[in-house]
Amino acid sequence: MSILTNAADVLRCFTPQRLELTLTDTVSLLGAPKSSTSRLLRAMRDAGFLELAPGTRRYRPGILLFELGQTYRRASTLLARADEAVGRLSRRFGHTGYVSVLDGADVVGVAHHEGSSTLRVGTPIGRRLAAFASSTGRSLLARRTDAEVRALHPEPLRPASPHSPPDIAALIAMLAEVRRQGFATSLEEANPGVGGIAVAVGEAGTGEEVSLNLVYPVATVSITERQAMLNALQAEALEIATLVGDPWHAARKAA
Amino acid sequence: MSILTNAADVLRCFTPQRLELTLTDTVSLLGAPKSSTSRLLRAMRDAGFLELAPGTRRYRPGILLFELGQTYRRASTLLARADEAVGRLSRRFGHTGYVSVLDGADVVGVAHHEGSSTLRVGTPIGRRLAAFASSTGRSLLARRTDAEVRALHPEPLRPASPHSPPDIAALIAMLAEVRRQGFATSLEEANPGVGGIAVAVGEAGTGEEVSLNLVYPVATVSITERQAMLNALQAEALEIATLVGDPWHAARKAA
DNA sequence: CATGGCAGTCCCGAAAAATGGAACCGGAGT
DNA sequence: ACTCCGGTTCCATTTTTCGGGACTGCCATG
């Protein structure tokens, strides 16, 4: 219960839908006393975590946090490689690509490359998505044991779409398939009309894991194009995997 | 002296050159006692500000900070517009473009669009640059009064390049020129061989200000191309300026 | 022009957390 | 086995934080 956790709680109130916070917003979101919250917000501002949107009394993240966000991205060579690879894939196929990481039971995109095709699909990065309900997420979950997956997901699942696994058993079955195939797919789950394919890669030494992911409009992409994307995605992932010594891919190759 | 300022101090230790921090790094950088720092880092980790690079004892920014960095970018419509505009310019001319904001006496890039031309120049975003020694920075400084500029810059200036203003008087003179012309330029300042042109835009209601900035390799860009870039940049900036009601541009137009 | 919310800040004693010196731990190097 | 070295834990003391309530300034309303 250090003030740090309170500060973090405040920061977690910011979402892509709620870019700025007023004192009363924060109070009602957190249920904390007004006076404490007022002081907390001011302290956070003094420290540089927040800034006041000029001319208003609304707080928003400070530039310090922006800079650190950049640092986060650069801190990992695995991420950098994945970013590179997805950029190549995105340019080659004209579809949007993401790099995502698992955080608890969510995936959050940490990099994205917008497709060039007229039909662009996808969601901005920094957005959180239930891991079990997306190809990216499942490609990462497949690297956990079933027990870990169960621990992460309190029943009942709240599937966002009819194409998502309706319960844990279905999820576990899907993950088994992902492990067998080496990639994960989705069809109109997070976004209607959008399909996704994803391959996860992990670093041997660090245990760090990211997922490479391409999304495309199902209506205009042929089976053969999809297959080409899948092949390219797997190739890129495999290259990174061998480079960083991913034991998971190594095991697959041996089998 | 709240723990928040200490935490912020720790976070400020991260730079593009120092992506991860060990306990002893932090201790020597901050000069704080070991035990306090150890606890602080752990508390920050528990709160989600930091994470341990898996398998090591090195701390790095947590994903929470990454998400907030994204929020920062989206919190401002001015920023969003500028980002759009610079994206257009970058695609059109094939050179790299930035959107930057002033923070104290520094500018920090908050968005960038990499050029498509074979000669790509520029520095990654999230990087801090002395405002007085770049076109972006000067385009923003020109919107301050001379007194404010002086207050921001303790003599003597430490010019990074022979093309930067050597002292405050020279800077003030350059800023006067920027105000007269409505744009700022640089030639081989922050990066050798690259030139930059920048126009700042501010929002009436909020007082928020950003700078749009294009950089290009001086060796391969003709006078006429540069002029075209400048025209386009000014046109984009002016459009945004009228949209958000920038009094500064309004005054220029009236004159 | 009073009046009543509404948003935010200030004050204070009680309670909890931070502080930092020193002791402690475990591993790598000798 | 010894001893740095990086890091953690302990504990008494000092410093913040907490949160209820009073207080201020600001509309909008009667």
Side-chain angles (χ1 to χ4, degrees), chain A residues 26-115:
Chain A
T26 318
V27 166
S28 60
L29 283 164
L30 258 39
K34 234 185 356 170
S35 62
S36 310
T37 309
S38 170
R39 261 178 296 114
L40 176 58
L41 289 175
R42 192 145 31 78
M44 288 174 73
R45 182 167 66 83
D46 292 343
F49 287 100
L50 301 178
E51 58 185 43
L52 278 170
T56 75
R57 277 187 232 191
R58 293 196 299 277
Y59 288 92
R60 55 166 132 154
I63 197 161
L64 171 64
L65 296 180
F66 171 78
E67 293 181 74
L68 289 162
Q70 298 306 319
T71 305
Y72 176 88
R73 292 182 84 191
R74 299 191 200 298
S76 156
T77 63
L78 177 59
L79 222 71
R81 284 192 222 285
D83 193 12
E84 262 297 310
V86 168
R88 267 194 302 276
L89 292 167
S90 170
R91 275 192 299 277
R92 171 160 158 209
F93 293 103
H95 299 305
T96 300
Y98 295 89
V99 180
S100 313
V101 301
L102 196 60
D103 184 39
D106 299 331
V107 272
V108 7
V110 295
H112 96 303
H113 293 266
E114 183 126 329

Side-chain angles (χ1 to χ4, degrees), chain B residues 27 79 126 135 215 229 250:
Chain B
V27 166
L79 220 72
S135 58
V215 300
M229 285 166 57

Side-chain angles (χ1 to χ4, degrees), chain B residues 54-131:
Chain B
T56 74
R57 276 187 236 190
R58 292 197 299 279
Y59 288 93
R60 55 169 144 168
I63 197 163
L64 171 64
L65 296 180
F66 171 78
E67 292 181 77
L68 289 161
Q70 298 305 319
T71 305
Y72 176 88
R73 291 181 85 191
R74 297 190 200 298
S76 155
T77 63
L78 177 60
L79 220 72
R81 285 192 220 285
D83 193 11
E84 264 296 312
V86 168
R88 267 194 302 277
L89 292 167
S90 171
R91 275 192 299 278
R92 170 159 159 208
F93 293 103
H95 299 304
T96 300
Y98 294 89
V99 180
S100 314
V101 300
L102 196 60
D103 184 37
D106 299 332
V107 271
V108 6
V110 295
H112 96 304
H113 294 265
E114 183 126 328
S116 56
S117 64
T118 45
L119 278 184
R120 294 188 204 170
V121 297
T123 45
I125 67 166
R127 214 192 99 180
R128 231 158 237 281
L129 224 61

Side-chain angles (χ1 to χ4, degrees), chain B residues 125-201:
Chain B
I125 67 166
R127 214 192 99 180
R128 231 158 237 281
L129 224 61
F132 79 90
S134 63
S135 58
T136 311
R138 287 193 294 266
S139 74
L140 289 163
L141 287 178
R143 297 170 67 100
R144 310 265 74 80
T145 67
D146 288 351
E148 287 172 322
V149 172
R150 273 178 213 279
L152 232 39
H153 294 90
E155 295 259 30
L157 248 43
R158 292 285 301 121
S161 117
H163 295 94
S164 299
D167 54 36
I168 296 274
L171 174 60
I172 300 271
M174 286 182 87
L175 295 183
E177 182 67 5
V178 171
R179 291 190 195 103
R180 206 181 56 74
Q181 295 187 128
F183 61 88
T185 63
S186 65
L187 221 56
E188 314 209 44
E189 273 193 63
N191 295 303
V194 353
I197 52 183
V199 179
V201 178

Side-chain angles (χ1 to χ4, degrees), chain B residues 1 3 6 32-36 39-40:
Chain B
M1 318 289 136
I3 192 179
N6 294 322
K34 231 184 359 167
S35 62
S36 310
R39 261 176 298 114
L40 175 58

